[in-house]
Amino acid sequence: MVERRFPDGFLWGTATAAYQIEGAVDEDGRGPSIWDTFSHTPGKTFEGHTGDVACDHYHRWPEDVHLMQQLGAPAYRFSIAWPRILPQGTGQVNQRGLDFYDRLVDALLQAEITPFVTLYHWDLPQALQDRGGWAARETAEAFAAYADVVARRLGDRVKHWITHNEPWVVAFVGHFLGVHAPGIQDARIAIQVSHHLLLSHGHAVPAIRAASPDAQVGITLNLSPVRPATEAEEDRLAAQRYDGFLNRWFLDPLFGRGYPQDMLATYGELAPTAQTGDLDAIAVPIDFLGVNYYTPAFVRYDASVLNPLKAILVPPEELQAAGYELTEMGWAIVPDGLYELLIRLQRDFAPSTIYITENGAAFADQLEDGAVRDPKRIAFLHDHFAAAHRALQDGVPLRGYFVWSLMDNFEWAHGYSKRFGLIYIDYETLERIPKESYAWYSEVIRANGLVQ
Ligand SMILES: N=[N+]=NCCCCNC(=O)[C@@H]1[C@H]2[C@H](O)[C@@H](O)[C@H](O)[C@@H](CO)[C@@H]12
């Protein structure tokens, strides 16, 4: 008996990204991306892992589509590799790159799986990085031109488009922390990059709509509820600033309010350079907001003069000592954080539609006697699905949920050391082995809800 049933037509799905699963980095005319450069730079990734082969999805995609079909998920979110489409970032289009995604989309539709296409999931053509990358305003225009090329080819069959995946991570993990490509550590550049990413979104949306009639277009943000470490005033104010840094910096301009005044004041002369019309472009109406939720941000005041934010994340070991269970990423498992986030989004921004475009967890999965028992992942997903159901009951316009990830894959700086998949990948043989959570999720999809 289904206790927590989801609305009819709820879009259950799985999610992946090009550089994390495809491999075939030198095949069929693909050009290098900044992640090819970064992962081949000594010391940047776990044990020097690269995406050169990854899950070899570029060649094994028919088997992967079959696994999706067996799972029974009605939707699949994947990203298109810009360097396969425009190897130099602009100019000459690589038809063989377009052909790959054309075949994949046709196979998904044949399998009655709705494709959700992410246009940018971090693999910027290196040729554009050589011309300034996202720190250069021209890259925003190049992105809109790339979106136009892809939407013209696939827009008759792809009706759900996501311009960007997690611009916060691209800007601040890639250009401030420097632990992602292109590995820059400069606050001013990172803030300017966040502006150019949003601007590129604003210019891509009309291009997609023009080429893909009645398409639904949105953007995916990594968002978290922000919780102060203590009720002390300084921690509560730090949490407010961190909420501005992580959430409101992107949500406010996308929903037509311009950049948050408190953050412009906090950033001072680090604030981005914008041109007339930029904010209007960024505020172009979207059909849905994609939300990637993993864990809340637990924040405390930090007096360091080197930190304009004067707020830092509470370290994982403290969270563990406080009683939180952690995933292999060191992220606290807080299903209620998803409910809290969705209710806040509905209250403060009221998007017409929300999709959870990523939620999932890495655990220390072991292959034993040809099987992978992953009870922790089942519990994680169960509890987060229950939180999403509660939000639905409280009026949140949630229309779908994509589990990260369909299969184990290249986890960026962590390489292949972190496993998020519903399907285990044996990286020696590239064999796909569905984990117990795959069968469990298949049951949830068939019942369209949780049975206990
Ligand atoms: N310092 N630091 N960093 C904090 C980063 C938190 C947000 N990371 C994500 O959301 C990434 C998202 C990504 O889309 C996917 O490509 C990744 O594989 C998953 C799993 O990691 C998640």
Side-chain angles (χ1 to χ4, degrees):
M1 201 274 278
V2 181
E3 267 182 23
R4 277 167 288 210
R5 188 171 169 68
F6 283 71
D8 287 349
F10 190 78
L11 272 181
W12 296 104
T14 61
T16 63
Y19 189 75
Q20 296 182 269
I21 68 167
E22 286 181 1
V25 291
D26 293 324
E27 202 145 328
D28 289 342
R30 177 184 181 277
S33 76
I34 57 175
W35 267 96
D36 295 282
T37 306
F38 192 74
S39 64
H40 281 271
T41 304
K44 298 300 184 186
T45 62
F46 175 80
E47 293 183 356
H49 291 180
T50 75
D52 288 358
V53 176
C55 308
D56 193 35
H57 174 74
Y58 190 77
H59 298 110
R60 297 166 190 256
W61 61 270
E63 177 188 0
D64 294 336
V65 171
H66 181 64
L67 282 164
M68 290 177 219
Q69 199 169 11
Q70 282 189 309
L71 176 66
Y76 172 56
R77 175 185 176 231
F78 63 98
S79 82
I80 288 182
W82 188 344
R84 292 196 189 282
I85 311 304
L86 290 151
Q88 293 308 308
T90 58
Q92 183 69 35
V93 173
N94 175 37
Q95 290 305 328
R96 286 173 297 169
L98 281 170
D99 292 346
F100 170 70
Y101 295 107
D102 202 276
R103 286 192 299 273
L104 176 59
V105 164
D106 284 345
L108 290 168
L109 295 174
Q110 182 68 32
E112 297 181 333
I113 297 168
T114 301
F116 274 58
V117 166
T118 306
L119 284 167
Y120 188 70
H121 202 126
W122 307 358
D123 45 358
L124 185 73
Q126 182 60 45
L128 285 173
Q129 189 62 41
D130 297 342
R131 287 146 49 189
W134 286 111
R137 189 180 171 90
E138 299 71 46
T139 302
E141 297 324 313
F143 178 72
Y146 154 61
D148 179 62
V149 167
V150 174
R152 283 173 188 274
R153 178 67 175 269
L154 302 175
D156 58 325
R157 287 156 287 159
V158 172
K159 299 299 181 186
H160 296 85
W161 297 89
I162 295 164
T163 53
H164 278 286
N165 178 74
E166 302 197 346
W168 182 90
V169 175
V170 176
F172 295 103
V173 185
H175 296 81
F176 178 58
L177 296 175
V179 297
H180 282 184
I184 290 170
Q185 293 179 298
D186 182 310
R188 179 197 305 279
I189 290 177
I191 294 165
Q192 190 64 49
V193 160
S194 71
H195 180 67
H196 290 157
L197 289 166
L198 287 170
L199 182 64
S200 73
H201 159 82
H203 288 160
V205 170
I208 296 163
R209 293 196 190 288
S212 181
D214 56 54
Q216 304 287 300
V217 188
I219 185 171
T220 279
L221 303 177
N222 57 292
L223 301 170
S224 295
V226 183
R227 298 183 175 182
T230 72
E231 279 312 302
E233 181 70 358
E234 63 182 19
D235 283 347
R236 289 192 326 95
L237 291 174
Q240 216 173 335
R241 287 193 298 275
Y242 200 94
D243 179 57
F245 168 56
L246 176 67
N247 299 319
R248 291 183 285 111
W249 183 256
F250 296 92
L251 289 165
D252 281 7
L254 285 167
F255 285 90
R257 302 176 191 164
Y259 288 114
Q261 284 308 315
D262 62 332
M263 294 316 296
L264 289 171
T266 299
Y267 290 153
E269 48 98 28
L270 297 176
T273 306
Q275 292 184 12
T276 308
D278 285 2
L279 288 174
D280 290 338
I282 293 169
V284 64
I286 51 177
D287 302 295
F288 63 86
L289 177 66
V291 175
N292 287 0
Y293 171 74
Y294 287 93
T295 189
F298 296 87
V299 169
R300 69 157 55 96
Y301 172 67
D302 174 62
S304 156
V305 288
L306 295 178
N307 174 355
L309 212 49
K310 297 212 180 314
I312 50 165
L313 288 173
V314 174
E317 51 277 8
E318 267 189 52
L319 296 175
Q320 194 163 40
Y324 286 99
E325 192 189 345
L326 307 183
T327 70
E328 284 295 296
M329 297 295 280
W331 299 345
I333 299 174
V334 187
D336 280 350
L338 176 57
Y339 172 80
E340 189 182 330
L341 172 63
L342 292 171
I343 293 296
R344 185 264 176 104
L345 289 171
Q346 175 66 353
R347 182 193 69 215
D348 294 354
F349 299 93
S352 52
T353 295
I354 294 176
Y355 289 102
I356 292 169
T357 39
E358 283 179 36
N359 173 251
F363 292 110
D365 300 326
Q366 298 292 329
L367 180 60
E368 286 160 353
D369 310 324
V372 179
R373 278 170 281 284
D374 55 343
K376 287 186 178 180
R377 184 169 290 103
I378 290 172
F380 180 98
L381 293 174
H382 174 279
D383 295 347
H384 284 81
F385 291 172
H389 189 264
R390 251 185 333 122
L392 264 166
Q393 288 186 310
D394 290 352
V396 171
L398 185 64
R399 301 279 177 270
Y401 200 123
F402 294 79
V403 170
W404 185 269
S405 179
L406 171 68
M407 67 184 90
D408 296 337
N409 57 55
F410 177 78
E411 180 46 41
W412 309 112
H414 296 279
Y416 301 99
S417 68
K418 305 298 179 193
R419 294 178 178 270
F420 278 86
L422 293 164
I423 297 168
Y424 183 95
I425 300 288
D426 177 333
Y427 290 107
E428 300 294 314
T429 65
L430 294 172
E431 189 186 354
R432 275 82 164 129
I433 303 156
K435 302 175 190 175
E436 261 185 6
S437 56
Y438 172 97
W440 175 83
Y441 188 33
S442 186
E443 278 308 302
V444 169
I445 294 165
R446 206 168 50 73
N448 192 27
L450 295 171
V451 285
Q452 87 283 341

